[in-house]
Amino acid sequence: MNRKEFLNELDIKITNLYNMFNENPKNLENHEYPEFYSCRYHTEIKFTNDKEVNAFNEIVNFVLAYDKFHEIFSEYNISEQIIQLIHKTMNNNKESYKYIESLYEDLIDTSNMEWYIISEIDDIDIQNIHSVKIINCTIKILESSDLPFSNKNIYQDYIGKPCIITYVKAGDSEKARSIALNRFSICFNLLRLCTHSFKPSVKGVIVLGNRDLIIWNNSRKNAYGTIKPSLDNLCDSEGNKVILKSAVKLSNLLCAKLEKLGVQYLSTVTPISSVVKDCLYWFGLGLDVTMESAKLLNFTTVLECALKKSDENTELKQRISDRCAFLLGDDYETRVKIHNDISFIYKERSKVVHQGSMIKDKDRNTVNLAGSYAQRVLMKLIQENNRLNGDFSKFICEIDEKKFA
């Protein structure tokens, strides 16, 4: 869909919703649905039924689907802009197409803004290193020179603390925040892949602390409202405060281990690096969830992401068992054991998926086994990334060819 087609279709949808609002009975009260009032235009938008809400959501989804806008803008931002567009149209519907064109141009103009996002992190002890770059993030002891703005006093509490930093391109602060948190999560999960199962915490987002994310618009040279903690306290089911004691030690030894693994090559976008990032997401979920059945599903998802092509949807158990065995096993006996282990893991997974069975505590070893294989396969994939120039299809083909060696 080109620009003209997009604008014409959006004009039809906005006009349709505008007519719905005009058909509403005056002074109709319906507090189950949202209302919006504009002081600037002296207009009021009242949603009165599901039809209107669905029409509005359809407009938002239509805009987000155009030209990958969903990768650049948050749903919140687009929703807010559509509301403002409707206010303008209600004030002067003869200029509606002009307003739509203006919205489009604003989106294009702001689509490539740069953001610099920092957060203090708990449970990381930086030892004798200046910084470590992991995919799209840098972890370091924050220095005053790292802060991108002139008024640095309000963030003095960050100086000298372990922080994580990333640069993001996005059209609004909420989307920038979302991308940054996803990057932070992938970064942490990569560390967890190589160390113990610790859980680093981003201050002001996950656990205790009153510090917030620093969200800086590099394009416009100004700061945005910081994100308040979603939880004042993190407690367990009994109401007891949870204290996360385990910490990863970022040392020269760990940095050498990461470099030997090939982490430095994951910053380049390739099919393998994309698969690795997906796998790290599911691996992190597998570590974090408490239900054993959910852990099993997440760990087997890692195996499927790493050991099958996107167009392979049949005989998954056989494919994953074979490829895992040939990837990790160096001799016949080892390969047979790995094949049998993965087959058993998939048998238990099938019970969860198709029968709704729950993994009992006594069967936890099966989940741990799945997690171990997920970890080993993912580390092997990272190791092979540079040698194969990021070619995921070649990675799979080389494993399959071992059957005929």
Side-chain angles (χ1 to χ4, degrees):
M1 181 181 293
N2 59 34
R3 176 185 182 277
K4 184 176 180 181
E5 292 170 335
F6 171 74
L7 294 177
N8 288 338
E9 184 66 23
L10 183 56
D11 185 37
I12 292 172
K13 293 179 182 297
I14 293 293
T15 301
N16 179 48
L17 185 57
Y18 167 78
N19 291 334
M20 288 183 188
F21 289 138
N22 273 350
E23 292 169 1
N24 288 344
K26 300 299 181 184
N27 301 320
L28 178 66
E29 296 292 335
N30 193 338
H31 298 298
E32 295 180 4
Y33 295 92
E35 300 179 7
F36 303 91
Y37 182 77
S38 171
C39 295
R40 179 178 180 181
Y41 299 107
H42 304 291
T43 52
E44 188 175 23
I45 298 174
K46 281 189 175 183
F47 288 87
T48 61
N49 54 60
D50 289 341
K51 183 179 179 181
E52 294 169 356
V53 172
N54 291 336
F56 175 81
N57 289 332
E58 183 182 339
I59 293 172
V60 173
N61 292 330
F62 173 74
V63 174
L64 287 170
Y66 177 74
D67 199 26
K68 298 183 178 180
F69 276 177
H70 67 281
E71 296 179 0
I72 305 167
F73 299 100
S74 66
E75 182 178 348
Y76 175 85
N77 175 267
I78 297 299
S79 298
E80 189 176 55
Q81 296 211 46
I82 296 299
I83 288 293
Q84 294 304 313
L85 176 60
I86 296 171
H87 277 303
K88 294 178 182 179
T89 302
M90 294 181 74
N91 181 62
N92 183 2
N93 68 312
K94 294 181 180 180
E95 299 286 344
S96 63
Y97 194 83
K98 175 184 175 182
Y99 300 143
I100 290 172
E101 284 185 309
S102 179
L103 169 64
Y104 176 84
E105 296 302 329
D106 285 344
L107 292 176
I108 295 300
D109 288 344
T110 60
S111 62
N112 210 29
M113 288 195 296
E114 294 181 346
W115 304 80
Y116 183 68
I117 300 179
I118 305 171
S119 179
E120 184 183 342
I121 44 179
D122 286 331
D123 306 320
I124 283 187
D125 180 15
I126 298 179
Q127 300 181 332
N128 301 320
I129 61 171
H130 181 263
S131 66
V132 56
K133 184 174 182 180
I134 301 177
I135 309 184
N136 302 112
C137 301
T138 299
I139 298 177
K140 62 173 299 184
I141 298 295
L142 198 73
E143 302 171 17
S144 180
S145 59
D146 294 316
L147 296 174
F149 27 78
S150 56
N151 184 14
K152 303 181 181 185
N153 292 332
I154 57 175
Y155 294 114
Q156 281 302 309
D157 285 346
Y158 280 84
I159 305 301
K161 304 290 180 60
C163 287
I164 185 167
I165 304 167
T166 190
Y167 286 91
V168 170
K169 286 190 176 181
D172 61 83
S173 62
E174 182 59 28
K175 188 64 178 182
R177 171 184 181 269
S178 175
I179 294 172
L181 291 179
N182 182 60
R183 288 184 177 183
F184 293 168
S185 177
I186 289 173
C187 173
F188 294 151
N189 288 340
L190 185 51
L191 286 175
R192 299 165 83 186
L193 185 73
C194 303
T195 59
H196 298 293
S197 294
F198 75 107
K199 177 63 177 174
S201 56
V202 178
K203 280 291 188 72
V205 177
I206 299 174
V207 295
L208 303 176
N210 58 5
R211 295 178 179 85
D212 311 319
L213 285 178
I214 301 173
I215 299 185
W216 176 258
N217 187 327
N218 236 26
S219 300
R220 294 182 174 175
K221 306 302 179 187
N222 62 339
Y224 271 67
T226 51
I227 310 302
K228 295 298 180 184
S230 57
L231 296 173
D232 291 329
N233 291 287
L234 182 66
C235 300
D236 61 19
S237 58
E238 303 299 323
N240 300 312
K241 186 178 294 186
V242 173
I243 300 175
L244 302 176
K245 295 181 179 179
S246 58
V248 63
K249 291 180 171 57
L250 275 179
S251 61
N252 289 321
L253 184 64
L254 178 55
C255 288
K257 181 178 179 180
L258 293 171
E259 185 175 351
K260 183 178 180 181
L261 184 63
V263 167
Q264 64 273 26
Y265 301 114
L266 294 175
S267 298
T268 303
V269 178
T270 66
I272 286 183
S273 68
S274 296
V275 170
V276 167
K277 291 172 187 177
D278 290 341
C279 288
L280 288 170
Y281 170 80
W282 294 110
F283 183 74
L285 287 184
L287 294 179
D288 291 337
V289 293
T290 57
M291 297 293 292
E292 298 298 325
S293 300
K295 284 181 177 291
L296 182 65
L297 295 180
N298 287 314
F299 288 143
T300 52
T301 300
V302 173
L303 295 176
E304 291 187 9
C305 282
L307 293 174
K308 81 174 185 68
K309 299 178 183 179
S310 58
D311 59 349
E312 294 177 328
N313 297 309
T314 59
E315 300 180 349
L316 292 183
K317 175 183 174 181
Q318 186 66 37
R319 292 179 194 271
I320 303 304
S321 299
D322 286 349
R323 287 171 181 166
C324 193
F326 280 101
L327 178 67
L328 302 179
D330 293 326
D331 55 63
Y332 176 79
E333 289 77 13
T334 303
R335 288 172 177 171
V336 170
K337 180 184 184 305
I338 294 172
H339 187 282
N340 291 338
D341 284 346
I342 300 298
S343 295
F344 180 75
I345 288 168
Y346 262 79
K347 180 181 177 182
E348 296 303 302
R349 175 188 181 275
S350 181
K351 292 179 183 178
V352 175
V353 173
H354 300 295
Q355 301 176 20
S357 300
M358 302 295 287
I359 302 292
K360 303 294 190 295
D361 285 344
K362 64 183 179 64
D363 300 319
R364 190 176 295 170
N365 286 340
T366 303
V367 177
N368 293 337
L369 187 64
S372 174
Y373 278 121
Q375 181 187 38
R376 292 170 63 190
V377 166
L378 184 47
M379 293 181 76
K380 191 71 173 178
L381 178 60
I382 294 171
Q383 287 173 335
E384 294 296 298
N385 175 44
N386 184 51
R387 182 180 69 83
L388 297 173
N389 293 317
D391 190 335
F392 182 69
S393 295
K394 189 173 181 181
F395 172 74
I396 296 297
C397 287
E398 284 194 0
I399 298 174
D400 290 344
E401 288 171 358
K402 290 183 179 181
K403 297 178 184 178
F404 308 105

